[in-house]
Amino acid sequence: QKEVEQNSGPLSVPEGAIASLNCTYSDRGSQSFFWYRQYSGKSPELIMSIYSNGDKEDGRFTAQLNKASQYVSLLIRDSQPSDSATYLCAVNIQGAQKLVFGQGTRLTINP
Amino acid sequence: DAGVTQSPTHLIKTRGQQVTLRCSPKSGHDTVSWYQQALGQGPQFIFQYYEEEERQRGNFPDRFSGHQFPNYSSELNVNALLLGDSALYLCASSLDLSGNTIYFGEGSWLTVV
């Protein structure tokens, strides 16, 4: 089992709809979770971090964490074509002091 | 405030050669990590440097080595290059060793032919 798993997609969402990206992780003791956005040919950019169970909202982005289910998700409301990118889930595995990344989900917003 | 800077941005090397990649961390950051990102994959942790010492290492062979200088900048060296080393090499800096909240540079694209 991979430490961090994401559906590689591609995920296609119409403009203005909600895009939902999911991630599961294997280490039950993990405490810190991150979402990065990566445009084609560019480096990853941190867009959200979440440390506690529940929802965390930042503008059009909402991160959701459920530690009991070992599941973290990212919702993008009112999706825009500029949101088209690969979204990487990253988990700070307990005690590892490093980020472990999923393979990323490629999201396409269709005008 | 300069972010994480890396050089070179692109380079092509031949199998068996050696390469050195360079990184300057974000101002105020003293911890540098290196990641390898193959096409279509997420970044994979190579190693982390703090106080000029390697503190953490991922599952990479000894051909991958690094160094951190007193000004916190860092180098990644890869010897005896293989075709499979072709990837985007990302430097990330952070305020501490926790592994949280890292900021990436723009990366160095390495192609091995």
Side-chain angles (χ1 to χ4, degrees), chain A residues 5-11 22 86-87 103-107, chain B residues 40-41:
Chain A
E5 293 204 58
Q6 294 180 255
N7 189 325
S8 61
L11 175 65
N22 304 314
T86 295
Y87 289 80
Q103 69 178 83
T105 297
R106 188 155 53 94
L107 173 66
Chain B
Q41 301 297 316

Side-chain angles (χ1 to χ4, degrees), chain A residues 8-28:
Chain A
S8 61
L11 175 65
S12 283
V13 173
E15 184 176 356
I18 295 175
S20 178
L21 303 158
N22 304 314
C23 172
T24 58
Y25 59 94
S26 61
D27 183 77
R28 188 169 288 279

Side-chain angles (χ1 to χ4, degrees), chain A residues 70-82:
Chain A
Q70 295 174 238
Y71 177 95
V72 57
S73 64
L74 179 71
L75 301 178
I76 307 174
R77 289 183 302 280
D78 188 24
S79 297
Q80 303 296 310
S82 59

Side-chain angles (χ1 to χ4, degrees), chain A residues 2 32-34 36 38 40-46 49 51 88 92 95-104, chain B residues 35 37 40-45 48 56-59 88 90 97-107 109:
Chain A
K2 289 184 180 178
S32 310
F33 307 86
F34 305 86
Y36 285 79
Q38 186 172 27
S40 181
K42 299 294 187 182
S43 65
E45 172 194 12
L46 179 65
S49 59
Y51 304 94
L88 296 159
N92 193 337
Q97 296 180 321
K98 64 181 182 182
L99 291 189
V100 178
F101 286 81
Q103 69 178 83
Chain B
Y35 287 78
Q37 187 176 23
Q41 301 297 316
Q44 281 197 290
F45 176 79
Q48 178 190 66
Q56 294 264 353
R57 189 178 182 92
N59 189 24
L88 175 64
L90 295 161
L97 284 167
S98 70
N100 291 333
T101 318
I102 64 172
Y103 296 91
F104 286 102
E106 288 303 312
W109 289 93

